[in-house]
Amino acid sequence: MSSIIQLLPDHVANQIAAGEVVQRPASVVKELLENAVDARSTDIKLIIKDAGKALVQVIDNGLGMSVTDARLCFERHATSKIRKAEDLFSLHTKGFRGEALASIAAIAHVEMKTKQDQEELGTQIIVEGSKFVSQEVAVLPKGTSFAVKNLFFNIPARRNFLKSDTVELRHIVDEFQRVALAHPNIYFTFYHNGSEMFNLPGSSLRQRIVNIFSGKTNQKLVPVQEETEIVTIQGFVSKPEFAKKNRGEQFFFVNDRYIKSGYLHHAVMAAYDGILKDGAQPSYFLYLTVPPNTIDINIHPTKTEIKFDDEHALYAILRASIKHSLGQFNVAPVLDFDRDSNLDTPYHYKDLKGATPTIQVDGSFNPFSDDKVNKHYSSYKKPEPTSNWESLYVGLKQDSEFSTGSADFSFESEEVTGSLFNDGEVEQTVHSAYQIHKKYIVSSIKSGMVIVDQQRAHQRVLYEQFLINMTVNQASSQQLLFPLDLFFSSVEMELIEELKLSLVNTGFVFEETKKDHIVISGIPVNVTESEVSLVLEQLLSDLQDGIPESSFSQNDSIAKSMAKSLAVKTGTPLTVKEQENLVNGLFACKEPNVSPFQKPTFITMRVEDLDKKFAI
């Protein structure tokens, strides 16, 4: 009987390994950027074409590699940081020219150029699908350049599973931002299809955050600093009023490595307990430094998850340090019942001394002397008698409009009536709709009654209105007296640029669009000025996984998002008129039975059903 188990060829094994390491172009970006950082580079350039599907290139000015290292880095299990098994639990670098390069070379065309500073000539190597095509000596600048072209060229199925260019670019930007935030001292530049997306000179951590996430970010940052035997924490958190709907600007770094941790995120949210709105997410950029032997970073292939030795202590320290920072900078409310703010000394009186009052005494004054009395009160004049007061009214006409004759006055009757209104004039008001628990609207119909969910019903009404406006291009706008300046990150600005035409069709008027903010001079009639930023934030959050390619699907997504943001919420009291308008508007829709998210908007109860409830 022939053997069933056999060894796979190297090229097949490399492709399987590539499936674990390289899931999308962003995976290649992560590996190459981290390698460039470990090469002690001070200037790193990232060049992308077609969202990484055509080209991912990373150029650095680091140490470079020798001829032997340049060839060995494409071999499987090649690494520069591990010599024995114990090294797995004491890692200080991200990886130097190895590990994933063999996997990347198995599924793409790779061109590498590298040169060490002390060498006169460098090495150029071309690999296509794990096959070495050429290795030549070349005149090169110091450092290394990796160009990964035609990703997944030999695995069409994997290439077909890639998302749209917008989604893939967003993942690349996420990886770029994580590496750039972890190393603010390195100069990073990012180009996509020939246009510059990021230009980040080496700077302080705060300035790096501001450079990545627009100029307004500086206003919302609160510094966090704590040093203990277990962990050293530094970084920034945002003020509660700047919290957003999405979780985009939330970063944890452990020993300069980006990680994801739901447990640590819960500690941050616990520190904000009581000062955030429901569903709001604060921004944070937190850097934790712990001894390498107290963590295990190899529990996940992408190394974005870490296991800590003492998670409970880390949780408590993190929550306490953030609470302390929020209170220290007067962001969180402080209760002090012994302090009366009315007794606080104003700043401009703080260092002033009270003036000593002066007293002047007239020693010659005698209150019982007639001369003194005449002297001191000589200026006093006794009022003349007003016996001829009648002369004051001489000349007034008797027929004047100011006449005070008794004939000009009329007095109301003081007769008390039996009731406030006449019985014939009392009209009984009958409401056709009632609100229950500020959530449901009950209205009578011929066969019984209908119970409407006010939030879902309003979502359906708004959804169809927005969809009609975008389809017919007849949306009306209300002009703002003062234009709104709204700041967004570069990724969010890319999304807004793609959605701009559809937003204009809903009623938005864009006066100006800049690199990091937009100026809005007009908004849809059913949107208030205070709701504009909330609507756009919700829209960007809903579409962060990608914008549909077709215009109809794009309009549909925008209409759903805006309807969800603007619909009346559960717990909002409505007047009788508003209840009636909402019920009438719902049943005037094309599909009143379900909300835009396919949930029922109302239920009906027949009189017969009610009779059965009361039957004995």
Side-chain angles (χ1 to χ4, degrees):
M1 183 176 178
S2 61
S3 300
I4 299 176
I5 298 176
Q6 51 186 314
L7 294 175
L8 289 173
D10 284 343
H11 69 280
V12 177
N14 284 339
Q15 289 185 1
I16 295 174
E20 298 177 359
V21 178
V22 185
Q23 300 174 352
R24 54 185 359 132
S27 305
V28 178
V29 172
K30 176 180 183 294
E31 294 293 340
L32 296 184
L33 286 178
E34 289 182 348
N35 285 345
V37 169
D38 281 343
R40 303 177 193 172
S41 307
T42 58
D43 189 344
I44 300 176
K45 294 182 176 63
L46 173 62
I47 302 172
I48 301 294
K49 288 185 179 178
D50 297 338
K53 299 173 184 177
L55 173 66
V56 174
Q57 185 173 9
V58 174
I59 305 172
D60 66 60
N61 64 345
L63 297 177
M65 288 184 283
S66 64
V67 178
T68 305
D69 287 345
R71 185 65 182 256
L72 279 177
C73 72
F74 290 103
E75 298 296 330
R76 294 185 65 196
H77 307 301
T79 181
S80 63
K81 63 179 179 178
I82 298 174
R83 294 292 180 265
K84 54 184 183 296
E86 288 75 11
D87 292 342
L88 290 170
F89 302 98
S90 183
L91 298 178
H92 296 273
T93 62
K94 297 177 173 62
F96 178 72
R97 309 299 185 208
E99 299 177 340
L101 295 183
S103 300
I104 295 173
I107 53 174
H109 297 161
V110 179
E111 181 181 1
M112 184 188 71
K113 299 177 182 179
T114 184
K115 174 184 171 296
Q116 293 179 321
D117 192 21
Q118 66 273 18
E119 299 292 335
E120 294 183 0
L121 297 174
T123 305
Q124 179 177 350
I125 295 178
I126 298 177
V127 183
E128 295 181 358
S130 295
K131 297 179 180 178
F132 280 84
V133 176
S134 66
Q135 178 175 341
E136 299 175 353
V137 177
V139 178
L140 301 169
K142 172 197 171 185
T144 305
S145 169
F146 262 101
V148 180
K149 305 175 184 176
N150 305 322
L151 195 64
F152 299 123
F153 78 99
N154 52 355
I155 313 178
R158 291 290 301 277
R159 192 176 182 90
N160 293 336
F161 273 98
L162 294 178
K163 304 294 184 181
S164 65
D165 285 359
T166 304
V167 177
E168 296 300 335
L169 178 62
R170 185 178 63 82
H171 284 288
I172 292 174
V173 171
D174 288 344
E175 295 294 348
F176 176 81
Q177 289 177 350
R178 293 165 185 172
V179 178
L181 286 171
H183 304 278
N185 58 315
I186 300 178
Y187 195 138
F188 286 94
T189 49
F190 182 3
Y191 301 90
H192 179 244
N193 290 341
S195 62
E196 184 180 86
M197 290 191 66
F198 291 96
N199 190 328
L200 309 174
S203 60
S204 65
L205 176 57
R206 188 183 192 110
Q207 189 60 46
R208 173 58 55 90
I209 295 172
V210 172
N211 289 340
I212 293 178
F213 297 102
S214 79
K216 283 288 183 180
T217 307
N218 192 38
Q219 301 178 6
K220 65 182 182 181
L221 295 180
V222 176
V224 178
Q225 184 76 36
E226 191 68 43
E227 186 172 351
T228 66
E229 295 180 356
I230 300 175
V231 62
T232 299
I233 301 174
Q234 62 177 351
F236 299 91
V237 295
S238 68
K239 298 176 182 178
E241 61 266 27
F242 292 98
K244 295 184 176 182
K245 290 286 186 182
N246 59 350
R247 298 176 57 174
E249 298 178 8
Q250 296 180 344
F251 297 88
F252 278 117
F253 297 91
V254 175
N255 296 353
D256 291 337
R257 183 190 295 273
Y258 171 79
I259 68 160
K260 298 176 182 177
S261 175
Y263 190 67
L264 296 182
H265 172 75
H266 191 275
V268 176
M269 297 303 294
Y272 278 90
D273 189 25
I275 57 176
L276 278 183
K277 297 179 181 178
D278 291 339
Q281 293 287 335
S283 302
Y284 54 79
F285 310 87
L286 296 172
Y287 296 74
L288 284 66
T289 304
V290 298
N293 59 350
T294 63
I295 58 174
D296 183 4
I297 65 173
N298 291 299
I299 63 173
H300 193 273
T302 60
K303 297 181 177 61
T304 56
E305 297 179 11
I306 287 183
K307 182 174 178 58
F308 297 93
D309 280 355
D310 194 351
E311 287 187 333
H312 297 290
L314 198 61
Y315 182 99
I317 294 171
L318 182 61
R319 181 182 63 178
S321 60
I322 295 175
K323 261 186 175 298
H324 175 71
S325 293
L326 293 176
Q328 183 181 8
F329 292 91
N330 296 325
V331 175
V334 178
L335 293 178
D336 187 355
F337 297 104
D338 297 329
R339 175 177 170 274
D340 186 356
S341 59
N342 296 323
L343 301 180
D344 290 347
T345 303
Y347 288 113
H348 53 285
Y349 289 120
K350 183 178 179 181
D351 298 324
L352 293 180
K353 296 181 179 180
T356 304
T358 57
I359 301 175
Q360 295 180 354
V361 179
D362 187 0
S364 63
F365 176 72
N366 184 1
F368 302 103
S369 172
D370 294 338
D371 295 338
K372 297 295 181 183
V373 173
N374 294 334
K375 178 181 178 182
H376 284 82
Y377 298 100
S378 59
S379 61
Y380 175 75
K381 293 183 179 179
K382 188 176 180 180
E384 297 180 359
T386 56
S387 57
N388 57 345
W389 59 270
E390 294 89 348
S391 62
L392 297 174
Y393 297 94
V394 175
L396 288 178
K397 296 182 179 180
Q398 294 296 325
D399 56 350
S400 170
E401 63 181 16
F402 299 105
S403 176
T404 58
S406 61
D408 296 326
F409 289 97
S410 61
F411 299 92
E412 292 185 359
S413 173
E414 295 184 359
E415 181 181 356
V416 179
T417 59
S419 62
L420 189 61
F421 301 101
N422 293 331
D423 294 339
E425 296 178 357
V426 176
E427 182 177 344
Q428 186 177 4
T429 304
V430 179
H431 299 320
S432 61
Y434 298 89
Q435 190 180 30
I436 298 178
H437 294 296
K438 300 178 184 178
K439 184 176 183 180
Y440 299 108
I441 299 173
V442 180
S443 182
S444 61
I445 54 177
K446 188 174 182 180
S447 61
M449 65 178 179
V450 60
I451 304 174
V452 179
D453 186 308
Q454 66 182 32
Q455 183 171 352
R456 294 179 184 178
H458 200 203
Q459 286 177 354
R460 166 53 64 177
V461 174
L462 292 175
Y463 168 72
E464 294 199 2
Q465 287 178 357
F466 285 128
L467 211 54
I468 291 173
N469 291 341
M470 287 187 284
T471 305
V472 185
N473 297 336
Q474 292 182 350
S476 54
S477 302
Q478 51 180 331
Q479 200 72 16
L480 296 176
L481 184 60
F482 300 103
L484 288 176
D485 284 357
L486 301 177
F487 287 80
F488 298 96
S489 65
S490 58
V491 180
E492 292 171 336
M493 287 300 301
E494 291 274 342
L495 287 174
I496 290 176
E497 282 289 346
E498 293 190 42
L499 299 171
K500 191 173 181 180
L501 180 59
S502 298
L503 290 174
V504 168
N505 292 335
T506 62
F508 285 98
V509 178
F510 292 87
E511 184 175 301
E512 196 174 1
T513 303
K514 294 188 177 180
K515 185 177 181 180
D516 61 347
H517 75 282
I518 56 176
V519 181
I520 296 178
S521 59
I523 57 177
V525 291
N526 49 1
V527 179
T528 62
E529 186 174 344
S530 60
E531 293 174 329
V532 175
S533 61
L534 297 177
V535 169
L536 292 179
E537 281 182 15
Q538 183 67 55
L539 178 61
L540 295 174
S541 176
D542 292 340
L543 296 179
Q544 63 180 350
D545 290 331
I547 301 174
E549 298 292 339
S550 65
S551 60
F552 175 78
S553 298
Q554 192 176 115
N555 292 342
D556 182 73
S557 300
I558 294 175
K560 284 181 179 178
S561 178
M562 293 182 64
K564 180 168 64 174
S565 301
L566 298 172
V568 60
K569 302 296 186 292
T570 297
T572 304
L574 301 177
T575 64
V576 176
K577 190 66 176 177
E578 290 171 339
Q579 297 168 27
E580 293 175 354
N581 290 341
L582 182 55
V583 173
N584 294 335
L586 174 64
F587 290 104
C589 293
K590 293 181 179 179
E591 296 184 17
N593 297 327
V594 292
S595 72
F597 307 99
Q598 303 304 311
K599 295 182 179 179
T601 56
F602 68 90
I603 60 172
T604 57
M605 292 191 69
R606 298 178 303 167
V607 177
E608 292 83 355
D609 298 332
L610 294 175
D611 291 339
K612 291 178 182 179
K613 298 289 184 182
F614 288 99
I616 299 176

